Amino acid sequence: HYEKNRRTMSSGDLILLDMGAEYHGYTADITRTLPVNGTFNDEQAKIYDLVRLAQEAGFKACLSGNDFKAPHRASLEVIQKGLMELGIIKDKVDARKYFPHGTSHNLGLDVHDTGDNDSLKAGQIITVEPGIYIEGYGAVRIEDDVLVTETGCINLSAALPRDPDEIESWMARISKQ
C-alpha cells in the first residue's frame, strides 16, 4: 500500500503493519499497530484505545441482515465521539480528516474481494479495520477478519494480540529473544 518505507524508526514511534496473506487460494488481511520501543506512551494509548473501542463497535454491527456499512457507521460514531472528547476535533464531521477510509471490505479469493455490498450475510467474511491518522504523529489501525453469522461475528484473527497490555507484554517477550 505504500510507496516509500525508508525512514529509520525511533523509540517513541508507532509502526503500522498491514499484512495480506493467502492460503489455498483464500486471502486474509490484518493490521496491527505496535510501539517501536515496546510501550505505548499516554497519547498513543488514548488513540489506540479509541481505535480498539471503534473496532469493538464495528464487530457488534456485523450481523446478518445489517447493511454492509453498519460496521463503518458504528466505528465512525465511536471515533467521532472520542476525538471530540480528546479535544482533537470540535465538530463530528471533522473526524473524516483523521479516519478517511471505510471500515470493511470483503475477503475471499482476493484481499479486496468483490461482493454484494448491500447487506451482510451469514457466511460472509469481511474486515473490520478502523483507524486514526494524525499528521506528524502517525497512524493507529487495527484490522481483523471476521465471519458474519446470524447472531454476530467470529473474529478469525483473534489469536493476534489487540489489547495494548497484551501487545506490550508480547513486545517485551520477543525483545528478550
Side-chain angles (χ1 to χ4, degrees):
H1 293 324
Y2 314 102
E3 293 180 22
K4 292 182 181 178
N5 289 310
R6 292 183 168 83
R7 187 173 72 79
T8 300
M9 302 301 295
S10 301
S11 180
D13 287 344
L14 295 173
I15 185 165
L16 188 147
L17 304 169
D18 183 5
M19 299 159 280
E22 186 175 314
Y23 182 74
H24 289 284
Y26 289 94
T27 61
D29 190 13
I30 58 161
T31 302
R32 288 298 185 267
T33 303
L34 307 173
V36 170
N37 66 7
T39 305
F40 292 101
N41 66 34
D42 289 341
E43 289 177 343
Q44 292 167 343
K46 287 176 185 174
I47 298 297
Y48 189 92
D49 283 338
L50 178 54
V51 172
R52 193 167 56 88
L53 289 172
Q55 189 187 41
E56 290 294 332
F59 288 155
K60 289 178 184 172
C62 290
L63 294 166
S64 182
N66 273 4
D67 181 77
F68 185 82
K69 292 187 178 181
H72 177 70
R73 286 192 299 274
S75 293
L76 179 60
E77 186 177 314
V78 170
I79 287 176
Q80 288 170 328
K81 181 180 179 205
L83 290 176
M84 289 177 72
E85 288 174 357
L86 291 171
I88 294 172
I89 62 172
K90 296 195 184 313
D91 188 316
K92 67 180 186 177
V93 299
D94 295 332
R96 295 302 288 169
K97 175 181 176 186
Y98 301 99
F99 180 24
H101 59 77
T103 300
S104 299
H105 62 79
N106 287 295
L107 284 170
L109 299 177
D110 197 358
V111 171
H112 293 102
D113 214 356
T114 60
D116 175 6
N117 290 347
D118 293 333
S119 63
L120 297 172
K121 295 170 183 58
Q124 186 174 8
I125 299 177
I126 64 170
T127 64
V128 179
E129 57 176 300
I132 295 176
Y133 310 84
I134 301 174
E135 191 172 331
Y137 170 80
V140 173
R141 184 169 75 228
I142 310 167
E143 178 179 21
D144 282 285
D145 303 341
V146 301
L147 171 64
V148 177
T149 71
E150 294 291 341
T151 58
C153 70
I154 299 169
N155 184 347
L156 301 173
S157 45
L160 296 169
R162 288 183 328 113
D163 179 88
D165 292 335
E166 290 175 0
I167 289 171
E168 289 178 354
S169 175
W170 177 76
M171 298 277 297
R173 281 193 313 273
I174 64 168
S175 70
K176 291 178 184 176
Q177 296 178 355

